[in-house]
Amino acid sequence: MNLPPFKNLELTDFSQPDNRKAMEQALAGVRSKLGREHALVIGGKHIKTGKTFESYNPSKKSEVVGVFQEAPTEMADSIIAAAEEAFRGWSRTDPEKRIEYVVAVADKMRRQRLELAAWMVLEVGKSWVEADADVAEAVDFCEFYAREMLRLSQPQPLVDWPGEENDLVYIPLGVGVIIPPWNFPLAILTGMTMAAVVSGNTAVIKPSSDSPAIAAQLMRICEAVGLPPGVVNFVTGGGPEIGEPLVVHPRTRFIAFTGSMNVGLRINELAAKPQPGQIWIKRVIAEMGGKDSIIVDSDT
């Protein structure tokens, strides 16, 4: 399999009238879809729980972006079970086939980049430039991890030693729980999810309740490119109600998190305690922030 050398996706130049017009059309298109109810997606099945919450435009709180399901605590078992069932086949899928799926996700994102950016403008209040950059970074993550998987799937260099025959082979881990932040709701979500998927793991994505609509768009793209059911699962709801049960579940293999230090430390603490039936040490990838300051000038 040959892929061209990695190259960052160029940003959209909104100083060009045609690009501004296209973005305005994308915003109008997304506005026509606001307020719709979105189901959970578990093992390819679309599920409604009967209890919902709303995501709204932070710049206009009367504008409901979408209605989302509150996944109850007792669903954690079935969610992880669906992802684990998919893992059995996905982990044995040829790496080049997995790469093809992830490259297809990147291609679809390119074609929908302004629509995806428009969702972020309306759901998390990003400027056009920042929203477009978020999409570009998501595409870059797909392309970069596809190439990394191609590299890692090849025979790995080892030091020869007389009398020994050694091989180094990377194997998938299992079910990963992906918990992204609200402020880079597509780029970081896509990066953590596609890194897990392309390397043969299955993913349960649990977006921030402030930005579930853009995560729902990623889920739709995964379905549209034909990723097998259960490889990526979409779960919404509160952290204590469903986030923590997914983290502590004995069949969860790893957790990828980006967000606040307090939540990250809580996840690390929960994952460090083995649960009945757990046969491994869970891995936690925690990217935590809170170190930057903001100065607002009086003439802002």
Side-chain angles (χ1 to χ4, degrees), residues 247-271:
V247 167
V248 302
H249 197 281
R251 301 304 296 175
T252 294
R253 190 64 179 83
F254 64 95
I255 302 100
F257 166 79
T258 298
S260 71
M261 184 177 70
N262 287 340
V263 175
L265 292 178
R266 174 66 174 165
I267 288 171
N268 197 53
E269 177 187 9
L270 291 170

Side-chain angles (χ1 to χ4, degrees), residues 30-231:
V30 169
R31 275 208 160 91
S32 71
K33 301 174 185 176
L34 296 186
R36 296 179 181 178
E37 185 173 353
H38 302 260
L40 308 178
V41 184
I42 311 298
K45 297 178 180 178
H46 289 234
I47 301 169
K48 294 184 178 180
T49 65
K51 185 179 180 182
T52 61
F53 68 96
E54 294 178 346
S55 172
Y56 57 82
N57 182 345
S59 302
K60 186 180 180 183
K61 292 188 177 182
S62 61
E63 189 171 56
V64 175
V65 175
V67 179
F68 295 87
Q69 310 302 309
E70 288 273 10
T73 299
E74 56 268 23
M75 280 193 71
D77 283 340
S78 61
I79 293 167
I80 298 297
E84 191 168 40
E85 177 64 27
F87 174 74
R88 293 188 179 96
W90 184 247
S91 61
R92 292 168 173 79
T93 299
D94 185 272
E96 291 197 5
K97 184 63 177 177
R98 300 196 305 254
I99 290 167
E100 288 176 3
Y101 280 115
V102 172
V103 170
V105 169
D107 288 342
K108 198 158 185 64
M109 282 186 172
R110 282 191 197 89
R111 294 194 296 272
Q112 298 181 4
R113 67 181 297 174
L114 293 184
E115 178 186 353
L116 293 169
W119 278 105
M120 286 184 279
V121 169
L122 295 175
E123 186 171 47
V124 297
K126 288 207 168 198
S127 66
W128 290 13
V129 173
E130 289 292 332
D132 179 68
D134 204 303
V135 181
E137 187 177 2
V139 172
D140 288 347
F141 273 132
C142 292
E143 295 287 1
F144 178 79
Y145 288 130
R147 286 159 177 77
E148 278 298 281
M149 189 65 243
L150 189 59
R151 179 180 68 83
L152 295 174
S153 67
Q154 304 303 312
Q156 300 299 304
L158 292 171
V159 176
D160 290 328
W161 193 257
E164 292 185 3
E165 292 185 7
N166 297 314
D167 289 305
L168 172 59
V169 179
Y170 292 98
I171 62 172
L173 291 175
V175 178
V177 175
I178 312 298
I179 306 175
W182 65 267
N183 58 336
F184 287 89
L186 183 63
I188 292 178
L189 168 63
T190 301
M192 295 194 294
T193 303
M194 292 299 117
V197 164
V198 80
S199 49
N201 304 290
T202 54
V204 176
I205 61 177
K206 209 299 285 182
S208 165
S209 293
D210 291 324
S211 55
I214 188 62
Q217 307 315 307
L218 174 61
M219 185 69 240
R220 287 196 175 89
I221 289 173
C222 290
E223 291 179 306
V225 303
L227 269 171
V231 171

Side-chain angles (χ1 to χ4, degrees), residues 277-295:
Q278 183 176 324
I279 59 174
W280 45 56
I281 297 174
K282 293 178 185 177
R283 299 187 184 185
V284 176
I285 306 159
E287 179 190 17
M288 297 177 282
K291 299 180 293 299
D292 297 332
S293 59
I294 298 175
I295 298 175

